[in-house]
Every structure is written in C-alpha cells, then in structure tokens.
Amino acid sequence: MEQAVKDFFHDFRQELMSNAEANRAFQLEEFLNKFSNELIETGLVDGFEFCHYRPPRGGMRVDGYWSDDEVLTIFIADYDCRTELEFITQTEVDAIFKRASNFFEASRNKDLHAELEETSPGYGLSRKISDSIDGIREVRFFLLSERLLSERFKFVENLLISGVPAKYHIWDISRLYRQHSSQQKKEILTINFLEKFNKGVPCLVANVDVDAYQSYLAVLQGDILSTLYEEYGSQLLEQNVRSFLQARGKVNKGIRATVLNDPDMFFAYNNGITATAQDVQTCQGPSGLEIICIKDLQIVNGGQTTASLFHTKRKDKASLKHIFVQMKLSVINKDSDAEEIVPRISEYANTQNRVSAADFFSNHSFHIKIEEFSRRIWAPAMPGAQRETKWFYERVRGQYANEQSNFTQAEKRKFQAKYPRSKMFTKTDLAKFDNVWDEDPKWVNLGAQKNFVQFAKRIGKEWNTSPLVFNEIYYKRLIARALIFRRTEKLISTQSWYKGGYRANIVAYTIAILSELCKKNNKAIDYLGIWNGQVISAAMVDAITVISEIVNRSISSPPPGSTNISEWCKTQSCWYAIQKSIPEVSKNLPDDFVKSLISVDTVHSMENDAKKVQKIDDGIDAQRLIFTIPPEQWSKILAAGSEKSLWTGKEVGILKVAIQIPHKIPTDKQSAVLLKVLERAREEGYQSLQSMGVQRHPDC
C-alpha cells in the first residue's frame, strides 16, 4: 500500500471530521459532500442531493442522487469513520450495489414511496423513480468508499434493472487520491476500437510539420459515435463544451431531419466534429490506415451532433448505418503546452456559435483577474486572531494542491497559514456565491454545471461592456458573499427544524430572499463591513435564521403533482411561491439587521471610486507590459503592419513613441492602444512576440 495513499486517507479523515464539527453536520453527510464535490468539479456528475435511506430491516440503501437528462445517478456511501485504511472486497461491493438496485426496483415496481413519509428525502426519490417509468433511460450507481478496493476485485457487470440499463462506478480512497492529486480535470478515457467494435476508424494523416501536435482526418460511422456517447456520455465531451450543450437543448432539428429523411447526405450536410487526444495508435487496415486506439478522446466541437445522433437513434428508432461523420483529430504532444493549446482549439472551433470565451475557459481574463486579486489582497484578521490571511481562487482545478506538491512540511504549513484551505474556492463556488444574489436562484438548484454556464453568460457580457466593474470592491463583495453563503450552510445544519436533506435548496433561496428584501427597500448589504470583519454580524445571523425557517416551510409544501421537493426547487414556480413569503419575512426580521443595511447611493459611490482606481491600475499594468518589449521589436511591429496597412495614423504615431522607449514614455492611454496593436499583431501571425515569451494581457 502506497504511503501517499495512507497520508491522503489520514488528511481526508481529519479534514472531514473537522468540517463536520465546524458545520455541525453528520460525518456521513460531510463525507458524501466532499466526494461528490470532487466528482462535480471533474465533470463526472452535475450535482448531488443528499438522500439518506437505510430501512431498519436492511435490504435497501441509498445515500444521495442526481437526476438530469433522463439519467438517474444514485450514490451509496461506504463510510464508517474508520481510523485505519482497510480493504473492501468484491463480496462487499456486490452486496452494497444490490441494496441500491433493490431500492430502485422497489421504487419502480412496488410503489415503495407509498410506505414512506412524504417529507423524507427517500420519499421524493422513490416517487420520482415511480413517476418516471418511461423517462429514465439509464441508472448509474456510484459507490463512494473510504476504503481501498481489494486487489482481488474483478469487476461489476452492467445489467438491466427492471428493463433499464444500469452502470456501476466504484470510487475508493485511492481513486479519489489519484484524481485529487492529478493535474488533469478528469480521469483519462482510453477507447480501443478493435476491442469495442472489431474494426478501426479509417483515417488520413494530415502532414502538419509541427512538433506540438499531429493531425488526422477520420470518418466515424454514426453507430460508433452514438455508442460512444451512450457509454461514456459527458466524459466524451470536453467539459466546457458539455456545459454549453446542456444550455442549448437536446436535439438539433436539422440533424434529426437529415438522419430520418436523407441519411445518405448526412456527410455532405454536416460540418463534422473536432476532437483532441493525448495519444493515438494506428495500423494498416484492409483499405488503408486506421485508428485502432485513442487515449483521452475529447470532442471540443460537435457535441450537439454527437448527442443528436444518439437521441435520434433512441427516440425515433432511426438507423445510423448510412450516417458518417468526419472528424478532425489533433493529438497534442504531452510535452507541449496542452493547457493553452486545447482550450484554443475548442474556442476557435466553436466561434460559429457566437459564445463568448467566458462561457468556456478558465484562462478568460475575468478568471485571471480574480486569481490575481486573491493572490495579492490580504484579508483582515478575524476577531481574536492576529494573523492576516488570503483567500485562494482555484482558477484551474487542482491548483491549491499542486502549488504545495513539492513543498517540505514546513513550507506546506507556511503556505496553509497564508492560504487556509477553508478559504479556497473554485469557479463553481464563485458562480454559486454570485448567482444567488444576481440571478434567478433556480440556477443554483439546477446543479453546478448549468449554474456556471448561466454565470459565465452574464459575466461574459458584463466584461465586454464594462470591464472596470471587476475591481477590488467587486472582489471584496465576492468574498463577503462567500462568507454569507458558507455561514448560511452552517446555520441551517444547526436548526431544530432541519431534519437533513435539501440544505442546498434552502441556502440558495434564503440568500435570494435576502437579496429581494434589499432591492425592495432600495438598500444593500454592507459587504465592505463583512470583508473588514471576515464574519457576518449577529444581526445577519438572526435574519438568516428567520428566513431559512420560512423558506424550509415553503419548499416542504410543493403543489399537488410536485411530490419531489428537490425537483420542485429547480422550477421557476418554486421561486415565485417562496417570494410570496416576503411580507411574513419582513414582519419578523430583527430591527438590528434592517439598521445594518446601507443606502444604494453609498454603494454606487464606492463602486464608482473603485472603477477609477481600477482604471489607473490597468493603465499602470499596461505600461509595465509595454516596457517588457524592446524598442527594436516595436520597430519591427510598425514595419510589418505598415506593409499590410494595418495601423491607423494614430497607431503609427503611438508606435513611433514606443520605438523611442525609454527616451519617450507612452502614457497609460497610449499603452492601452499599444496593447490592442499587440493583439492584432498576434492575429496577423507576428511570431516574434511568442518567441519572446510575451503573454496576452487580460485587457486585450
């Protein structure tokens, strides 16, 4: 047994118990939240609902679920607060999965929900299964274990349960460790076409003389592409493309019509797919070169084509025998800068969709700006503490762990004192913290991926129209919202009326009601006050306590026909119903909380001042970057652009100033113009900038 896995188990256990105590939550619930958050961040699942059902007589078991796009995911925990790392055997795995499948079968065929209390989470899931007899095309079982999978373990065979295809996934502590410590966003998917389909994929080598990647042009049969999507689903789609696809609808009508009415013309009509891979194996087949194995196949453009073929085959019973899809496959050299190249392939391949880069990439300027703030700005010490700390924005998954990977124990302690793990937050966290205030709260209840897509759309538009909004005040407001969100989670767990389950829903709607109350009274939360104290006030704690109980009462009484509370919370109607409780909330709000609110005019004044400061800071940053480029390079840029008539008269004049650095210094406004000149020079293929290592500025 590797020592690293033992150390990870120990740290995981200590952190779990600490969080459970701090949140006043059951350790089982904290265990499931930690595990499911990792799966959500890697894109393997889109959300998680706690649903603890273990009847006294045994035989059935479920601990959580998520339902989306006709796929039901059921989670089962193997957790007993073990102090030492142990093994879980094949027999135990089979028994645990059997209990979960028994729950599914009993819910589907024996009306299990009729035996349960209507207010229990188990009732909602059981009733959903019963009511969705024709709506569930696949059920996935995830076993989450604090133990190690036995070396004698073989496999769990995928079965049909009451006519529904079932797939089984085991995540033991070693698999969690590998994923947690990996710089990859997901587990690597390797597809052997000879083993799976008894044939390779015909291809041509595109003779691109570039060290960073190889390219192939291939033709995939529609049945193969549909089967891959059915088996691997979202794992096949590059995470950002999958998120975009979820927001677009399931089936493209044009694709469906072609498959049904004119299948022989599909290859001519369809643009095909763009994909990337880490490695490809080829061999000579009967008709030429064939791809026989692809490591880490990711579709970065063409997700809608892929999903539409699958849905059309399944729903319309359409044959895909005569459907062929062209594929442009780029195999990225592992020694090249894949983190830069793959997102660019995805971004440029998706330009026809008119989606801003904020919808897709962690290297968008917004995320870079938030990361820069989090590394630079010290948070005030909390009451009773002497040491200031910083919040850590994990712009790229795994950053927090990776930054410490080569540290000594002393260096790790120093790093964690500066950036406590409790103050680390991810892109999906950020989207939750912000959307409950500035978006319809139903998005938060729809799951991390869909919520992030909605957040990205809004932020992308705001960045394009007013980038100065994203300044230090914005960052401090964001952290204040994080403090409110996390404190609300803890508060709800301690309430006498809280019986477990639906906490995420209650949190989202509680904060949304806070936001609505402020708007209706033309007031605002004193975010700067929260930032300065790094805690929320006693008055706000009292207000949240009042609101959350009323919200819980509201969501626990769905209208007739909406028996599943979790699904009810995802609807617009639920938010409308909760808003009707605002008069009751207003009547019961503590006076101290109302007095703590500040005027909207005060907020606007602070925001305007922050914009002015940000404008100065951006000017300084631009000047700093301009000075990293030698005058002779500016001269070459001027000459190269002049030959193509790229530069305006104004730009020519400013470039002539840059040529004379340091004898003449471009102003901040001139520097901003020079940044745009740099970007256009890159677009025109001016390679000297890349060879010099000059990076794109966030404001370009």
Side-chain angles (χ1 to χ4, degrees), residues 181-339:
S181 58
S182 171
Q183 293 188 20
Q184 299 292 335
K185 294 182 178 178
K186 54 184 170 35
E187 287 196 312
I188 299 302
L189 178 66
T190 299
I191 300 171
N192 190 310
F193 290 90
L194 288 182
E195 292 179 0
K196 188 171 289 293
F197 303 106
N198 296 316
K199 60 182 178 180
V201 177
C203 70
L204 292 172
V205 178
N207 293 313
V208 180
D209 189 17
V210 178
D211 292 335
Y213 72 98
Q214 296 174 289
S215 275
Y216 296 86
L217 298 176
V219 178
L220 281 169
Q221 192 174 19
D223 273 321
I224 290 179
L225 192 57
S226 174
T227 300
L228 290 176
Y229 183 78
E230 180 178 16
E231 182 162 346
Y232 301 112
S234 61
Q235 287 180 274
L236 192 66
L237 303 180
E238 196 270 332
Q239 183 173 353
N240 302 305
V241 176
R242 180 185 69 254
S243 298
F244 173 59
L245 180 65
Q246 288 175 343
R248 298 274 298 189
K250 295 175 184 175
V251 182
N252 180 288
K253 293 180 181 179
I255 293 175
R256 177 177 177 272
T258 303
V259 171
L260 296 177
N261 305 319
D262 213 357
D264 292 329
M265 294 303 296
F266 189 91
F267 187 85
Y269 292 163
N270 188 263
N271 290 331
I273 64 177
T274 302
T276 64
Q278 285 190 21
D279 190 32
V280 164
Q281 294 179 27
T282 60
C283 72
Q284 287 295 326
S287 303
L289 192 66
E290 294 182 349
I291 295 173
I292 58 173
C293 187
I294 301 179
K295 180 180 180 181
D296 194 22
L297 175 64
Q298 290 287 286
I299 296 175
V300 298
N301 178 253
Q304 194 173 59
T305 293
T306 305
S308 295
L309 287 177
F310 166 75
H311 287 296
T312 303
K313 178 183 179 181
R314 187 176 63 83
K315 290 184 176 180
D316 298 298
K317 310 302 180 185
S319 170
L320 302 182
K321 184 178 180 180
H322 299 291
I323 301 296
F324 295 92
V325 182
Q326 59 185 316
M327 175 174 68
K328 181 177 74 173
L329 178 65
S330 298
V331 183
I332 309 301
N333 188 326
K334 65 180 181 179
D335 296 325
S336 64
D337 197 351
E339 287 190 4

Side-chain angles (χ1 to χ4, degrees), residues 375-394:
R375 304 301 192 269
R376 176 171 61 83
I377 299 176
W378 287 91
M382 294 178 63
Q386 301 298 319
R387 184 191 293 254
E388 292 185 340
T389 56
K390 291 182 179 180
W391 287 71
F392 189 98
Y393 178 49
E394 196 172 65

